[in-house]
Amino acid sequence: MTQHLYRFFPQLENRTITVSAGSVSEVLRAVNEIAPGFADYVLDEHGALRRHVMLSIDDTVVIDRKTLSDRVPDGGTVYIFPALSGG
């Protein structure tokens, strides 16, 4: 995760988060259990990735941004990059 996310979810900072392998949706739900509100930050009201969020599994960009069905293998790493904007 980027430093920006730690500002909103300090309980995630400086730690490796390990959850069971499964779909991206399942992984995000598990992170949301640790940091309530996290899923609302990265997902829209329909449960799809927000337009400004990029997510990858290891070095592969997530394809299914709508239902988040891409599989995260055992030992896989999910990277979450919210877009930053400013003036």
Side-chain angles (χ1 to χ4, degrees), residues 59-82:
D59 62 354
T60 304
V61 174
V62 166
I63 303 290
D64 181 8
R65 296 180 56 87
K66 190 172 184 178
T67 64
L68 308 172
S69 64
D70 295 52
R71 303 298 296 170
V72 180
D74 284 330
T77 301
V78 175
Y79 296 95
I80 302 168
F81 305 97

Side-chain angles (χ1 to χ4, degrees), residues 3-82:
Q3 290 291 87
H4 173 75
L5 286 172
Y6 299 140
R7 190 169 107 208
F8 299 104
F9 305 100
Q11 63 272 49
L12 301 176
E13 191 170 13
N14 296 321
R15 67 184 284 192
T16 299
I17 301 162
T18 303
V19 300
S20 298
S23 68
V24 169
S25 177
E26 292 166 332
V27 168
L28 292 178
R29 279 196 300 262
V31 173
N32 195 68
E33 291 291 318
I34 298 166
F38 182 80
D40 293 331
Y41 189 84
V42 298
L43 304 177
D44 67 16
E45 64 276 4
H46 303 290
L49 273 181
R50 291 188 184 278
R51 210 171 23 155
H52 69 276
V53 175
M54 179 62 69
L55 198 143
S56 70
I57 302 165
D58 297 321
D59 62 354
T60 304
V61 174
V62 166
I63 303 290
D64 181 8
R65 296 180 56 87
K66 190 172 184 178
T67 64
L68 308 172
S69 64
D70 295 52
R71 303 298 296 170
V72 180
D74 284 330
T77 301
V78 175
Y79 296 95
I80 302 168
F81 305 97

